[in-house]
Amino acid sequence: IPAPTTRLITSADDVDGLDLDFPIVVKPLRQRFSQGLRTLDSREALSDHIQSIVAAPRTFRLPLIAQEYLPGYDMGCNILASDGRIIAWTAQVNPSRKICTFSRNAECFVVAQRIASACGFSGVANFDLRRDSRSGRIVVLECNPRFWLTIHASKAWGVDFVALGIDLARGKDISRSTWG
C-alpha cells in the first residue's frame, strides 16, 4: 500500500536521528481538521516547533507523526465495510476546505479495499489520500476509522453512510455495493 515514509517523534531527542528528507509534514496524533498540521523545511524548524509544543502543552502534545512531504493534491475515500468488504464508498477531491468534488475514482476504491480486506475491517472509515504529482500514484496519508467532516456531502451525493450503517447493524441485506 503506497504511503509516505512516516516516523513517530516522541521527544526533542528524536529530531537528530530523524531519517527523513526535508520538507516534512508533522501532525499531532489527537487533533482533527488539520489542526496542528505543519509543513517544515528544516531540522531547525522542526526543533523550534517541538520546543513550542513542549513549552505550551495545552495546545498540542507530543508525540507527533512526521511524514515525508509529497507534492500533489489531497483526495479522500470514504467507506462502509463489513468483514473486509466495502459495501458503500465515495471518492472526493478537496481542492479547498469549501469545495468537495466527487468522482468515480477506482484507484481510491482499490487502495481502500486492499486495506479493508487485509484488516477484515467492519465499520466506517475515511482515508486521507494524496495524488503524488511526481509519480502520479495515489498515496495513503492516514485512515480515520470514524465519520468524517464531509459526511453530509456524501449523503447529498447519494450515499447515506449513517442509514446504511444502521441497516447493516440491524442485519438488513445491504450486500449490493453502493457508490453515489
Side-chain angles (χ1 to χ4, degrees):
I1 301 203
T5 304
T6 304
R7 300 290 183 256
L8 186 65
I9 298 175
T10 59
S11 74
D13 295 336
D14 293 342
V15 173
D16 290 335
L18 189 65
D19 61 342
L20 295 175
D21 293 329
F22 287 83
I24 64 170
V25 175
V26 295
K27 50 192 167 185
L29 296 179
R30 292 184 178 90
Q31 292 297 324
R32 60 183 197 263
F33 313 131
S34 299
Q35 293 174 326
L37 182 110
R38 301 284 185 274
T39 301
L40 303 171
D41 292 324
S42 68
R43 201 169 298 276
E44 181 179 307
L46 176 58
S47 291
D48 291 346
H49 182 61
I50 290 174
Q51 291 308 318
S52 72
I53 290 171
V54 171
R58 286 187 220 169
T59 307
F60 302 112
R61 293 192 169 101
L62 292 175
L64 294 175
I65 294 173
Q67 288 182 326
E68 87 180 279
Y69 173 79
L70 299 176
Y73 60 90
D74 292 333
M75 306 170 74
C77 187
N78 312 305
I79 67 165
L80 171 64
S82 178
D83 297 321
R85 187 177 62 80
I86 294 178
I87 296 166
W89 67 284
T90 57
Q92 64 197 54
V93 175
N94 303 325
S96 77
R97 293 257 174 231
K98 296 179 181 178
I99 298 172
C100 182
T101 305
F102 289 91
S103 70
R104 291 184 184 267
N105 190 316
E107 288 176 277
C108 291
F109 174 81
V110 168
V111 168
Q113 181 60 67
R114 286 177 57 199
I115 295 169
S117 178
C119 300
F121 182 75
S122 293
V124 294
N126 162 260
F127 293 92
D128 288 335
L129 310 168
R130 180 163 271 242
R131 170 84 65 187
D132 185 339
S133 62
R134 299 169 301 183
S135 68
R137 292 186 329 158
I138 291 178
V139 178
V140 178
L141 301 176
E142 66 182 28
C143 175
N144 299 293
R146 58 168 170 70
F147 287 118
W148 47 94
L149 178 64
T150 59
I151 192 161
H152 63 284
S154 293
K155 183 178 179 184
W157 187 251
V159 182
D160 188 343
F161 286 96
V162 175
L164 289 168
I166 291 169
D167 286 348
L168 181 64
R170 289 182 172 166
K172 290 187 179 179
D173 180 17
I174 57 170
S175 57
R176 179 180 60 88
S177 285
T178 302
W179 183 87

